[in-house]
Amino acid sequence: MPTLILSMDGLVLREVQLKEGRTRIGRAGDNTLQLDNPAVSQHHAAITVVGGDAFLEDCDSTNGTQLNQGNVRRAVLRNNDLITIGKYQLRYLSADPPDTLAPREPPINPAATIHEKEPQPLPPAGELRLLTGARAGQAVPLARPFLNIGTPEQQLTILRHGAEYLVTQTAGDTPALLNGDPVGERPRPLNHRDTLEVAATRMVFLAPVAPKQE
């Protein structure tokens, strides 16, 4: 499983195993990883692990979250990425062997570009069709790695894992619903024509390729 190496001023403090689902990071005691420093917000950031992928998200923190020295709101993590939160550094180590991972910014060799393979097309994207509210009937494309839906009081995150989609509740004490049942914090798969209810809005998930009818 992927790992975070927590350090401050070059001193390693602890090693954190990232489990499947959402890891909350912040100063408050209800976080999975509590960082006791005034520069860290109560609920500062979160990392969601789905399969072999990990997604970093800044949770509207006061001082921001840095990834490899640049401010970031949302990003897909890769092996050896460095996350900075306040005075803390968190080194992300993927569960996959490092030599199987492509670097974040691979060097360009102009002499070799003629031998490069054609880029593989992305799989088609699914969408959410709004069923209620002022925007009823409109479609929300799900082409990005993840998308937040709702309000700070009740929020869902839709995660794209290849051609598959998952949903998890990432904010709010009032449960959002998947087919009438609470979504919860652990990512759950989305199937064609599943219904979601969040922030007084009802919507239906439409898969990229609808399953064939028997």
Side-chain angles (χ1 to χ4, degrees):
M1 65 180 62
T3 303
L4 290 177
I5 306 299
L6 175 65
S7 63
M8 178 187 284
D9 298 328
L11 177 66
V12 174
L13 302 178
R14 60 182 291 198
E15 183 175 309
V16 181
Q17 300 291 327
L18 293 175
K19 299 180 180 179
E20 189 86 3
R22 190 170 176 84
T23 296
R24 298 176 181 272
I25 304 169
R27 198 169 76 249
D30 60 350
N31 288 285
T32 314
L33 176 57
Q34 185 179 12
L35 302 179
D36 187 14
N37 185 274
V40 179
S41 296
Q42 293 287 326
H43 299 96
H44 197 107
I47 297 174
T48 302
V49 176
V50 180
D53 296 330
F55 304 87
L56 171 67
E57 178 183 3
D58 179 81
C59 299
D60 295 323
S61 64
T62 301
N63 295 314
T65 300
Q66 289 190 325
L67 178 63
N68 300 328
Q69 308 304 316
N71 289 330
V72 69
R73 290 283 297 168
R74 303 180 184 89
V76 179
L77 291 173
R78 294 191 180 182
N79 186 65
N80 213 35
D81 275 349
L82 182 65
I83 305 165
T84 302
I85 296 178
K87 295 184 177 180
Y88 294 93
Q89 291 79 45
L90 299 101
R91 178 73 64 180
Y92 172 77
L93 301 179
S94 169
D96 298 322
D99 58 2
T100 67
L101 298 171
R104 182 170 291 275
E105 296 181 1
I108 297 174
N109 181 356
T113 55
I114 191 171
H115 303 295
E116 290 181 353
K117 295 180 180 179
E118 290 294 327
Q120 296 297 315
L122 292 173
E127 67 179 32
L128 293 174
R129 186 66 55 85
L130 304 181
L131 301 177
T132 61
R135 297 173 59 195
Q138 293 188 17
V140 179
L142 300 173
R144 293 185 291 173
F146 56 105
L147 176 71
N148 291 333
I149 297 174
T151 67
E153 290 72 33
Q154 191 184 48
Q155 177 181 277
L156 292 176
T157 298
I158 308 293
L159 304 162
R160 185 181 186 185
H161 184 56
E164 299 179 349
Y165 287 87
L166 301 101
V167 61
T168 177
Q169 182 160 351
T170 49
D173 296 327
T174 302
L177 302 179
L178 170 62
N179 297 328
D181 296 323
V183 174
E185 291 192 359
R186 189 175 183 83
R188 298 176 59 184
L190 281 173
N191 298 309
H192 184 61
R193 301 206 66 82
D194 277 351
T195 59
L196 294 167
E197 296 179 57
V198 60
T201 302
R202 192 165 179 264
M203 60 201 75
V204 62
F205 170 73
L206 301 177
V209 179
K212 295 182 179 180
Q213 298 294 328
E214 296 292 341

